[in-house]
Amino acid sequence: MNAPARPRVRLATTSLAGCFGCHMSLLDIDERLFALLDRVEFDRTPLTDIKACGPCDIGLVEGGASNAENVEVLREFRRQCRILIALGACAVNGGLPAQRNHLDLEDCLTQVYLTGPGMQNGRIPDDPELPLVLDKVYPLHEIVRVDYFIPGCPPSADAIWAFLTQLLAGQEPVLGHGLIAYD
Ligand code: SF4
């Protein structure tokens, strides 16, 4: 008799203020994706084009929160995902987008849209469709509770694979020497 199939784990991913490099690193697990797909089914991800995150076991979030929409999506992931993981430096500490935290937001908008070289009759965009820019870029844990952090810019495919396989096996994930990269 065949062993009963293991229930598949529902997994969601999203990119907030990130560059999708961490998602690329996830895809870089290459043929191991087939083994992963035996164990998980995808909810909201850039692969499925599902617009709203449903109840999930694991949420992987790339990027920090730079605008109001990022905060909304992050809170949705926290509500829906039993385990929330900050994936990559931008999610862990703001990363590259947080370089703007050293600058005054109003000065930036003024320079870019009003007084920058070649600007004439400029206007700071205020269409209600545009998400409100936050005063700075926030790492995820400053907005919601985060269960795990995977540092690196991006974390390597091997690190993501090791982390997920341990988690899916019901183990406490430990990334040993050579798998963790701090930026
Ligand atoms: Fe891109 Fe690096 Fe940020 Fe990942 S951590 S979203 S690779 S800049």
Side-chain angles (χ1 to χ4, degrees), residues 15 17-23 62-63 87-91 95-97 152-155 183:
S15 178
C19 73
F20 276 96
C22 291
H23 274 78
E62 165 196 302
L87 178 65
C90 297
L96 203 55
C153 179
D183 306 290

PDB file of all heavy atoms in Angstrom, residues 15 17-23 62-63 87-91 95-97 152-155 183, ligand 1:
ATOM      1  N   SER A  15       7.033  40.969  -2.682  1.00  0.00           N
ATOM      2  CA  SER A  15       8.138  41.921  -2.656  1.00  0.00           C
ATOM      3  C   SER A  15       7.571  43.287  -2.325  1.00  0.00           C
ATOM      4  O   SER A  15       6.670  43.771  -3.010  1.00  0.00           O
ATOM      5  CB  SER A  15       8.845  41.959  -4.019  1.00  0.00           C
ATOM      6  OG  SER A  15       9.878  42.920  -4.007  1.00  0.00           O
ATOM      7  N   ALA A  17       9.393  46.989  -0.670  1.00  0.00           N
ATOM      8  CA  ALA A  17      10.449  47.836  -1.228  1.00  0.00           C
ATOM      9  C   ALA A  17      11.688  46.980  -1.418  1.00  0.00           C
ATOM     10  O   ALA A  17      12.631  47.013  -0.622  1.00  0.00           O
ATOM     11  CB  ALA A  17      10.733  49.013  -0.298  1.00  0.00           C
ATOM     12  N   GLY A  18      11.665  46.174  -2.453  1.00  0.00           N
ATOM     13  CA  GLY A  18      12.783  45.294  -2.791  1.00  0.00           C
ATOM     14  C   GLY A  18      13.004  45.341  -4.287  1.00  0.00           C
ATOM     15  O   GLY A  18      12.314  46.071  -5.003  1.00  0.00           O
ATOM     16  N   CYS A  19      13.949  44.543  -4.763  1.00  0.00           N
ATOM     17  CA  CYS A  19      14.291  44.596  -6.195  1.00  0.00           C
ATOM     18  C   CYS A  19      13.969  43.281  -6.903  1.00  0.00           C
ATOM     19  O   CYS A  19      14.357  43.092  -8.045  1.00  0.00           O
ATOM     20  CB  CYS A  19      15.763  44.919  -6.361  1.00  0.00           C
ATOM     21  SG  CYS A  19      16.820  43.523  -5.927  1.00  0.00           S
ATOM     22  N   PHE A  20      13.308  42.364  -6.195  1.00  0.00           N
ATOM     23  CA  PHE A  20      12.995  41.025  -6.692  1.00  0.00           C
ATOM     24  C   PHE A  20      14.236  40.129  -6.747  1.00  0.00           C
ATOM     25  O   PHE A  20      14.162  38.996  -7.193  1.00  0.00           O
ATOM     26  CB  PHE A  20      12.269  41.046  -8.046  1.00  0.00           C
ATOM     27  CG  PHE A  20      10.778  41.237  -7.888  1.00  0.00           C
ATOM     28  CD1 PHE A  20      10.218  42.498  -7.993  1.00  0.00           C
ATOM     29  CD2 PHE A  20       9.950  40.157  -7.600  1.00  0.00           C
ATOM     30  CE1 PHE A  20       8.854  42.683  -7.808  1.00  0.00           C
ATOM     31  CE2 PHE A  20       8.586  40.338  -7.418  1.00  0.00           C
ATOM     32  CZ  PHE A  20       8.029  41.600  -7.529  1.00  0.00           C
ATOM     33  N   GLY A  21      15.395  40.657  -6.297  1.00  0.00           N
ATOM     34  CA  GLY A  21      16.598  39.827  -6.284  1.00  0.00           C
ATOM     35  C   GLY A  21      16.448  38.624  -5.362  1.00  0.00           C
ATOM     36  O   GLY A  21      16.968  37.538  -5.650  1.00  0.00           O
ATOM     37  N   CYS A  22      15.731  38.802  -4.251  1.00  0.00           N
ATOM     38  CA  CYS A  22      15.537  37.669  -3.333  1.00  0.00           C
ATOM     39  C   CYS A  22      14.623  36.627  -3.966  1.00  0.00           C
ATOM     40  O   CYS A  22      14.808  35.427  -3.773  1.00  0.00           O
ATOM     41  CB  CYS A  22      14.967  38.162  -2.006  1.00  0.00           C
ATOM     42  SG  CYS A  22      16.139  39.137  -1.042  1.00  0.00           S
ATOM     43  N   HIS A  23      13.625  37.068  -4.723  1.00  0.00           N
ATOM     44  CA  HIS A  23      12.785  36.110  -5.454  1.00  0.00           C
ATOM     45  C   HIS A  23      13.620  35.376  -6.519  1.00  0.00           C
ATOM     46  O   HIS A  23      13.444  34.183  -6.735  1.00  0.00           O
ATOM     47  CB  HIS A  23      11.604  36.833  -6.122  1.00  0.00           C
ATOM     48  CG  HIS A  23      10.422  37.002  -5.212  1.00  0.00           C
ATOM     49  ND1 HIS A  23      10.368  37.964  -4.234  1.00  0.00           N
ATOM     50  CD2 HIS A  23       9.249  36.309  -5.124  1.00  0.00           C
ATOM     51  CE1 HIS A  23       9.213  37.868  -3.585  1.00  0.00           C
ATOM     52  NE2 HIS A  23       8.522  36.879  -4.105  1.00  0.00           N
ATOM     53  N   GLU A  62       9.992  39.852   0.924  1.00  0.00           N
ATOM     54  CA  GLU A  62      11.209  40.540   0.483  1.00  0.00           C
ATOM     55  C   GLU A  62      10.955  42.043   0.556  1.00  0.00           C
ATOM     56  O   GLU A  62       9.863  42.501   0.229  1.00  0.00           O
ATOM     57  CB  GLU A  62      11.505  40.124  -0.963  1.00  0.00           C
ATOM     58  CG  GLU A  62      12.505  41.012  -1.673  1.00  0.00           C
ATOM     59  CD  GLU A  62      12.489  40.817  -3.191  1.00  0.00           C
ATOM     60  OE1 GLU A  62      12.714  39.695  -3.654  1.00  0.00           O
ATOM     61  OE2 GLU A  62      12.255  41.812  -3.901  1.00  0.00           O
ATOM     62  N   GLY A  63      11.971  42.806   0.935  1.00  0.00           N
ATOM     63  CA  GLY A  63      11.851  44.271   0.908  1.00  0.00           C
ATOM     64  C   GLY A  63      11.289  44.833   2.207  1.00  0.00           C
ATOM     65  O   GLY A  63      10.537  44.169   2.927  1.00  0.00           O
ATOM     66  N   LEU A  87      12.832  37.988   4.305  1.00  0.00           N
ATOM     67  CA  LEU A  87      13.784  37.394   3.362  1.00  0.00           C
ATOM     68  C   LEU A  87      14.696  38.473   2.781  1.00  0.00           C
ATOM     69  O   LEU A  87      14.261  39.312   1.986  1.00  0.00           O
ATOM     70  CB  LEU A  87      13.013  36.693   2.233  1.00  0.00           C
ATOM     71  CG  LEU A  87      13.850  36.046   1.134  1.00  0.00           C
ATOM     72  CD1 LEU A  87      14.678  34.894   1.678  1.00  0.00           C
ATOM     73  CD2 LEU A  87      12.951  35.552  -0.009  1.00  0.00           C
ATOM     74  N   GLY A  88      15.959  38.469   3.192  1.00  0.00           N
ATOM     75  CA  GLY A  88      16.931  39.389   2.603  1.00  0.00           C
ATOM     76  C   GLY A  88      17.119  40.670   3.396  1.00  0.00           C
ATOM     77  O   GLY A  88      16.293  41.050   4.236  1.00  0.00           O
ATOM     78  N   ALA A  89      18.220  41.337   3.086  1.00  0.00           N
ATOM     79  CA  ALA A  89      18.645  42.515   3.853  1.00  0.00           C
ATOM     80  C   ALA A  89      17.592  43.616   3.898  1.00  0.00           C
ATOM     81  O   ALA A  89      17.406  44.260   4.934  1.00  0.00           O
ATOM     82  CB  ALA A  89      19.940  43.063   3.261  1.00  0.00           C
ATOM     83  N   CYS A  90      16.888  43.851   2.799  1.00  0.00           N
ATOM     84  CA  CYS A  90      15.909  44.945   2.785  1.00  0.00           C
ATOM     85  C   CYS A  90      14.785  44.674   3.777  1.00  0.00           C
ATOM     86  O   CYS A  90      14.287  45.590   4.433  1.00  0.00           O
ATOM     87  CB  CYS A  90      15.331  45.146   1.387  1.00  0.00           C
ATOM     88  SG  CYS A  90      16.559  45.624   0.172  1.00  0.00           S
ATOM     89  N   ALA A  91      14.365  43.423   3.878  1.00  0.00           N
ATOM     90  CA  ALA A  91      13.308  43.064   4.826  1.00  0.00           C
ATOM     91  C   ALA A  91      13.844  43.066   6.253  1.00  0.00           C
ATOM     92  O   ALA A  91      13.160  43.469   7.194  1.00  0.00           O
ATOM     93  CB  ALA A  91      12.740  41.688   4.475  1.00  0.00           C
ATOM     94  N   GLY A  95      17.868  47.614   4.157  1.00  0.00           N
ATOM     95  CA  GLY A  95      18.758  47.403   3.014  1.00  0.00           C
ATOM     96  C   GLY A  95      19.007  48.651   2.192  1.00  0.00           C
ATOM     97  O   GLY A  95      19.015  49.782   2.704  1.00  0.00           O
ATOM     98  N   LEU A  96      19.194  48.432   0.921  1.00  0.00           N
ATOM     99  CA  LEU A  96      19.555  49.529   0.018  1.00  0.00           C
ATOM    100  C   LEU A  96      18.493  50.642  -0.027  1.00  0.00           C
ATOM    101  O   LEU A  96      18.834  51.835   0.036  1.00  0.00           O
ATOM    102  CB  LEU A  96      19.808  48.966  -1.381  1.00  0.00           C
ATOM    103  CG  LEU A  96      20.682  49.802  -2.298  1.00  0.00           C
ATOM    104  CD1 LEU A  96      22.026  50.096  -1.649  1.00  0.00           C
ATOM    105  CD2 LEU A  96      20.883  49.085  -3.622  1.00  0.00           C
ATOM    106  N   PRO A  97      17.198  50.311  -0.119  1.00  0.00           N
ATOM    107  CA  PRO A  97      16.200  51.396  -0.160  1.00  0.00           C
ATOM    108  C   PRO A  97      16.269  52.307   1.072  1.00  0.00           C
ATOM    109  O   PRO A  97      15.916  53.484   0.994  1.00  0.00           O
ATOM    110  CB  PRO A  97      14.860  50.650  -0.218  1.00  0.00           C
ATOM    111  CG  PRO A  97      15.191  49.325  -0.812  1.00  0.00           C
ATOM    112  CD  PRO A  97      16.572  48.990  -0.308  1.00  0.00           C
ATOM    113  N   GLY A 152      21.166  38.605   4.027  1.00  0.00           N
ATOM    114  CA  GLY A 152      21.883  38.440   2.759  1.00  0.00           C
ATOM    115  C   GLY A 152      21.251  39.301   1.684  1.00  0.00           C
ATOM    116  O   GLY A 152      20.071  39.601   1.731  1.00  0.00           O
ATOM    117  N   CYS A 153      22.062  39.713   0.735  1.00  0.00           N
ATOM    118  CA  CYS A 153      21.562  40.569  -0.353  1.00  0.00           C
ATOM    119  C   CYS A 153      22.045  40.031  -1.696  1.00  0.00           C
ATOM    120  O   CYS A 153      22.992  40.534  -2.236  1.00  0.00           O
ATOM    121  CB  CYS A 153      22.021  42.007  -0.149  1.00  0.00           C
ATOM    122  SG  CYS A 153      21.458  43.125  -1.460  1.00  0.00           S
ATOM    123  N   PRO A 154      21.317  39.055  -2.235  1.00  0.00           N
ATOM    124  CA  PRO A 154      20.220  38.321  -1.588  1.00  0.00           C
ATOM    125  C   PRO A 154      20.786  37.147  -0.801  1.00  0.00           C
ATOM    126  O   PRO A 154      21.952  36.774  -0.981  1.00  0.00           O
ATOM    127  CB  PRO A 154      19.430  37.802  -2.799  1.00  0.00           C
ATOM    128  CG  PRO A 154      20.489  37.559  -3.838  1.00  0.00           C
ATOM    129  CD  PRO A 154      21.532  38.624  -3.631  1.00  0.00           C
ATOM    130  N   PRO A 155      19.956  36.531   0.046  1.00  0.00           N
ATOM    131  CA  PRO A 155      20.390  35.251   0.616  1.00  0.00           C
ATOM    132  C   PRO A 155      20.618  34.281  -0.531  1.00  0.00           C
ATOM    133  O   PRO A 155      19.916  34.346  -1.548  1.00  0.00           O
ATOM    134  CB  PRO A 155      19.184  34.806   1.458  1.00  0.00           C
ATOM    135  CG  PRO A 155      18.293  35.991   1.577  1.00  0.00           C
ATOM    136  CD  PRO A 155      18.580  36.884   0.406  1.00  0.00           C
ATOM    137  N   ASP A 183      25.256  41.898   5.250  1.00  0.00           N
ATOM    138  CA  ASP A 183      25.707  42.934   4.320  1.00  0.00           C
ATOM    139  C   ASP A 183      26.128  44.171   5.077  1.00  0.00           C
ATOM    140  O   ASP A 183      25.644  44.424   6.142  1.00  0.00           O
ATOM    141  CB  ASP A 183      24.577  43.272   3.357  1.00  0.00           C
ATOM    142  CG  ASP A 183      24.075  42.009   2.681  1.00  0.00           C
ATOM    143  OD1 ASP A 183      24.796  41.461   1.861  1.00  0.00           O
ATOM    144  OD2 ASP A 183      22.964  41.568   3.026  1.00  0.00           O
TER     145      ASP A 183
HETATM  146 FE1  SF4 B   1      17.193  43.110  -3.716  1.00  0.00          FE
HETATM  147 FE2  SF4 B   1      19.188  42.651  -1.980  1.00  0.00          FE
HETATM  148 FE3  SF4 B   1      16.960  43.822  -1.169  1.00  0.00          FE
HETATM  149 FE4  SF4 B   1      16.912  41.239  -1.823  1.00  0.00          FE
HETATM  150  S1  SF4 B   1      18.040  42.149  -0.127  1.00  0.00           S
HETATM  151  S2  SF4 B   1      15.390  42.796  -2.390  1.00  0.00           S
HETATM  152  S3  SF4 B   1      18.411  41.229  -3.505  1.00  0.00           S
HETATM  153  S4  SF4 B   1      18.427  44.671  -2.675  1.00  0.00           S
END
